[in-house]
Amino acid sequence: MIIESSITLDGPINEIWEKLLDPACLKDCIPGCESVIIRSNGEFEGTVKVKIGPIKMRFKVVLTIVEKQPPVRLISKALGKDLFKVGRFTQKNQLVLEKLDSNKTRLSYISELNISGKIANFGERVLRAKAKEMEENYLASLSDILKHRGRKS
Amino acid sequence: MKKYKLRLNINDIDYTLKVGAGETLLDIIRDQLNLTGTKKGCDSGACGSCTILMDGMAVKSCLVLALQAEGRKILTIEGLAQDGVLHPLQNAFVEKWAIQCGYCTPGMILTSKALLDENPKPSEDDIRMYLTGNICRCTGYQKIIDAVASVGQLQGERHGKK
Amino acid sequence: MKDMRYIRTASVTEITDSLKKYGDKAKIIAGGQSLVILLKQRLVSPGGLIDISQVNDLKFIKKTKKTIKIGALTTHRDIEKDPLIQAHMPILVEMEKQLASVQIRNMGTLGGNLCHADPAGDLAPPLIVMGAKLKLISAKGSRTVSVEHFFRDFFETAIQPDEVLAEIHVPLLPVSGNALYIKHSTRGVDTTIIGVAAFVSKDRDSNTCKDIRLCVGGVGSVPIRAKKAETAVRGKAVSKKIIAEAGKKASEEIHPVSDLQGSAEYKKELTEVFIKRAIKAAWDGIGRTNA
């Protein structure tokens, strides 16, 4: 399934680019994310908990950067395996940053997500909506962090 | 597997069985009791080929856990004919060419029996509505509806006698 | 599926005791029409099942002066055939006739349907527009939640692990009011793509809309009250123009997701059309359908 969206963020383009690749920021913004580390080969590895009603999943995710043109374009792919064996996903992401002014950047992404395993039986309509919800939450969290940076937490 | 005692009546015979919590009524009918007239099609409650009557109600046995049938009276397709004499619905399905591969047939007949028990002279709309949960890949449904309607006529003529 | 413990209960106390004992390690099973599918697909693997299907104390339909109280184990088929419901709440009968198939309706319960919380479920929107409330019972006592606030997310409700949904209380419709449910699906009784429930009441003196409640299922993670659409109609004369405005507002305030059953734009359009149809049909039917 294809999910796409865009959002205007408060921040200079370079800073936002850094945040997109910052493990601590990824951990804080990705809903259900428990940990993010960078492996020695540059891959990002983390665990993300996802819950749909009574169905609980815990994905071990490996994210690989395929192409990067700082600070405007990032192409990555991810592979997620659920530790409860309920599902699996592969994802191709294309993310574009556009400088609107010195403190405003437009982030647009298009994501191709494929879900397999038992969870896929559950229904495309629910999965699509849930995936979209998670992506929107990520962007909202990122936007919040940028708005409140500099304030003591 | 943890097993629990299950007592139920199937086609006028009382059974005491040992079943696991996760086994469905369909599983035990087919696998423990060898009553294979009830079919496992989609095994997810969509096709209706697993339909049996439980206390007179049409239910999809793939969605009923066996232990939930405790103390109930079950009718499968094998229990419909009496002393070798086919039920009027079975005769009608044969006469009206309402059977091709036969896979949906037991479910269709039992659902139709539940309909006629509730509504002895159903209209075509009534029949179509009642059979919504039973899918047929072969016949295009019309002959099935004709078969059920013909039994309705017959029952109507005999003033509701089964 | 995984080996499970099986606990059969015969009373509400036995249910709440079992819930207290097992917490969220066991799942309640009523009609099983949603849960057995999840179990078979191994999407859920509880350590045990608490079978409440034989608790007859939770199977009833009774009328009080202002409400109809329905036990949570009442089946969809019970509702479809019940004379009290047919007389006082035909919206529920019409909804049930379009829900799944007879076999599913014979087993599936109202409580199970609500607790499963499928955002496209047919039962929630009618109950929401009629202002229905739910009684939840635990070993500690009971509490009441409106159906509208019961749903939290996809397949997630406000019910706590030690609670069981026991009763549904539906206020009777006022004499000057009417409620209607229409749904769109591939075949009449298939999974709902969009479902719209409308309640309207008339101020007889001014012939304007006294109150209106609209609820759309299938366009979000929970059923959605179309409040902006309601504001466009409430207190006003129900003209074609007002109805059209309500439809437009409803399509603007929902945010459906594109999927195999339709694009987001299509679902918005469907919602607009169905809101208009539902308001008109409910309004025209005032005075005709109530006991």
Side-chain angles (χ1 to χ4, degrees):
Chain A
M1 57 183 85
I2 308 266
I3 303 169
E4 49 189 318
S5 189
S6 57
I7 188 173
T8 301
L9 298 167
D10 295 330
I13 191 169
N14 286 307
E15 184 183 341
I16 291 178
W17 176 266
E18 307 271 293
K19 286 243 176 313
L20 290 175
L21 296 169
D22 170 24
C25 185
L26 285 169
K27 176 172 178 289
D28 288 338
C29 295
I30 294 174
C33 185
E34 293 178 314
S35 65
V36 179
I37 56 159
I38 304 186
R39 283 184 182 167
S40 53
N41 58 5
E43 284 178 342
F44 290 77
E45 190 184 298
T47 52
V48 180
K49 267 176 143 159
V50 181
K51 185 172 175 288
I52 303 177
I55 302 166
K56 297 184 178 102
M57 292 165 282
R58 197 154 165 249
F59 289 99
K60 182 170 159 202
V61 187
V62 175
L63 181 84
T64 316
I65 309 295
V66 172
E67 192 186 309
K68 57 179 172 180
Q69 286 169 248
V72 289
R73 203 171 138 92
L74 182 67
I75 300 183
S76 61
K77 62 177 190 192
L79 171 65
K81 288 186 197 169
D82 172 35
L83 299 163
F84 296 125
K85 298 204 193 324
V86 172
R88 229 181 112 108
F89 71 87
T90 58
Q91 189 178 21
K92 280 187 217 147
N93 298 304
Q94 185 171 226
L95 205 143
V96 168
L97 293 179
E98 188 196 331
K99 179 177 170 176
L100 295 179
D101 65 40
S102 61
N103 208 40
K104 265 194 167 28
T105 310
R106 187 138 190 91
L107 183 160
S108 311
Y109 76 84
I110 178 165
S111 185
E112 194 186 318
L113 178 64
N114 283 308
I115 304 175
S116 60
K118 293 172 228 161
I119 192 66
N121 283 332
F122 196 44
E124 199 246 4
R125 61 185 172 100
V126 178
L127 292 175
R128 175 181 290 276
K130 189 72 184 173
K132 180 119 175 121
E133 183 188 271
M134 288 181 72
E135 307 251 343
E136 307 262 294
N137 285 343
Y138 166 75
L139 292 177
S141 298
L142 182 61
S143 179
D144 264 349
I145 285 186
L146 290 164
K147 280 204 180 97
H148 298 123
R149 70 194 178 298
R151 288 189 209 167
K152 288 214 173 72
S153 51
Chain B
M1 194 195 307
K2 236 176 253 125
K3 297 270 190 182
Y4 296 86
K5 198 194 303 193
L6 171 65
R7 281 161 304 198
L8 73 176
N9 179 292
I10 302 181
N11 301 335
D12 278 329
I13 300 171
D14 289 323
Y15 292 92
T16 303
L17 305 169
K18 281 207 154 68
V19 303
E23 291 186 80
T24 63
L25 191 54
L26 178 64
D27 292 333
I28 61 130
I29 287 173
R30 289 182 57 86
D31 302 339
Q32 277 200 43
L33 300 174
N34 268 323
L35 294 168
T36 54
T38 309
K39 304 301 179 194
K40 180 182 274 201
C42 69
D43 202 22
S44 53
C47 76
S49 62
C50 67
T51 303
I52 50 101
L53 300 191
M54 187 161 82
D55 290 345
M57 294 188 304
V59 300
K60 295 189 181 185
S61 59
C62 74
L63 291 187
V64 178
L65 294 182
L67 288 168
Q68 293 197 292
E70 170 74 22
R72 310 273 223 158
K73 211 164 146 55
I74 309 286
L75 179 69
T76 72
I77 192 70
E78 289 88 350
L80 208 51
Q82 296 292 318
D83 299 318
V85 176
L86 291 180
H87 187 276
L89 271 170
Q90 289 169 306
N91 275 323
F93 267 62
V94 170
E95 282 161 28
K96 296 283 180 188
W97 294 94
I99 308 171
Q100 287 189 33
C101 79
Y103 203 80
C104 74
T105 306
M108 285 286 183
I109 289 179
L110 287 168
T111 305
S112 304
K113 179 180 188 311
L115 165 61
L116 293 171
D117 289 346
E118 268 181 37
N119 178 1
K121 261 200 108 178
S123 65
E124 181 167 331
D125 277 349
D126 292 336
I127 298 170
R128 282 183 180 276
M129 183 288 280
Y130 215 92
L131 291 177
T132 307
N134 293 77
I135 297 179
C136 173
R137 193 66 186 85
C138 303
T139 65
Y141 301 98
Q142 192 56 53
K143 293 191 193 299
I144 292 174
I145 293 161
D146 293 345
V148 179
S150 72
V151 179
Q153 278 295 106
L154 212 63
Q155 287 191 185
E157 280 156 28
R158 290 182 195 163
H159 304 291
K161 181 184 167 193
K162 277 191 225 166
Chain C
M1 54 187 102
K2 194 178 105 177
D3 193 15
M4 290 178 286
R5 186 182 290 268
Y6 178 78
I7 304 116
R8 183 176 288 129
T9 58
S11 68
V12 177
T13 313
E14 282 181 24
I15 301 173
T16 54
D17 284 347
S18 303
L19 287 171
K20 196 168 162 199
K21 187 173 174 190
Y22 294 102
D24 54 12
K25 291 198 185 66
K27 279 201 82 57
I28 288 180
I29 183 164
Q33 303 304 278
S34 300
L35 183 62
V36 174
I37 297 181
L38 293 179
L39 287 169
K40 284 206 282 201
Q41 289 177 349
R42 289 162 219 247
L43 290 169
V44 296
S45 309
L49 292 175
I50 301 170
D51 186 348
I52 68 171
S53 62
Q54 298 309 308
V55 177
N56 293 320
D57 287 343
L58 294 179
K59 289 180 205 181
F60 58 83
I61 300 172
K62 24 183 203 234
K63 181 174 170 292
T64 70
K65 205 158 170 238
K66 294 196 173 158
T67 65
I68 289 191
K69 292 191 177 178
I70 306 172
L73 289 178
T74 305
T75 65
H76 293 287
R77 192 79 173 140
D78 289 337
I79 293 286
E80 197 185 332
K81 309 211 87 99
D82 186 79
L84 276 177
I85 305 282
Q86 285 171 354
H88 297 282
M89 299 180 175
I91 175 179
L92 293 181
V93 176
E94 289 313 307
M95 177 274 298
E96 294 293 6
K97 283 184 180 171
Q98 300 173 78
L99 192 149
S101 58
V102 170
Q103 291 99 315
I104 305 287
R105 302 203 288 273
N106 276 331
M107 289 295 292
T109 64
L110 298 203
N113 180 296
L114 294 172
C115 291
H116 184 60
D118 186 325
D122 296 311
L123 179 59
L127 290 181
I128 288 173
V129 301
M130 291 197 288
K133 292 188 162 45
L134 305 174
K135 185 175 175 186
L136 307 171
I137 296 182
S138 72
K140 299 190 286 244
S142 69
R143 65 182 176 120
T144 308
V145 181
S146 69
V147 178
E148 187 176 342
H149 297 121
F150 187 59
F151 302 105
R152 291 271 163 85
D153 202 344
F154 300 99
F155 304 97
E156 209 174 299
T157 67
I159 204 166
Q160 297 301 304
D162 65 342
E163 285 178 323
V164 61
L165 168 52
E167 295 179 15
I168 301 147
H169 300 167
V170 194
L172 291 170
L173 293 170
V175 170
S176 59
N178 192 21
L180 206 79
Y181 179 70
I182 42 178
K183 84 178 214 183
H184 177 65
S185 57
T186 317
R187 287 186 312 160
V189 296
D190 281 343
T191 306
T192 302
I193 301 172
I194 303 273
V196 170
F199 162 80
V200 288
S201 64
K202 188 186 286 198
D203 180 318
R204 289 210 180 277
D205 298 324
S206 56
N207 209 41
T208 55
C209 171
K210 188 168 172 195
D211 196 7
I212 178 169
R213 292 189 287 269
L214 302 166
C215 186
V216 190
V219 293
S221 60
V222 299
I224 303 209
R225 274 280 295 279
K227 292 198 168 155
K228 296 198 173 118
E230 291 172 10
T231 307
V233 182
R234 195 175 283 121
K236 307 210 172 78
V238 179
S239 64
K240 207 168 168 188
K241 184 161 174 268
I242 291 290
I243 292 178
E245 195 187 320
K248 191 155 183 299
K249 286 255 178 305
S251 77
E252 284 163 9
E253 63 182 309
I254 53 150
H255 305 285
V257 170
S258 298
D259 59 29
L260 287 175
Q261 293 173 316
S263 67
E265 292 73 27
Y266 176 61
K267 290 182 190 181
K268 276 177 176 281
E269 171 125 9
L270 266 187
T271 300
E272 182 172 345
V273 171
F274 276 42
I275 287 273
K276 287 178 350 192
R277 280 187 199 170
I279 296 174
K280 180 162 197 323
W283 183 259
D284 289 346
I286 291 177
R288 264 192 252 145
T289 48
N290 306 332

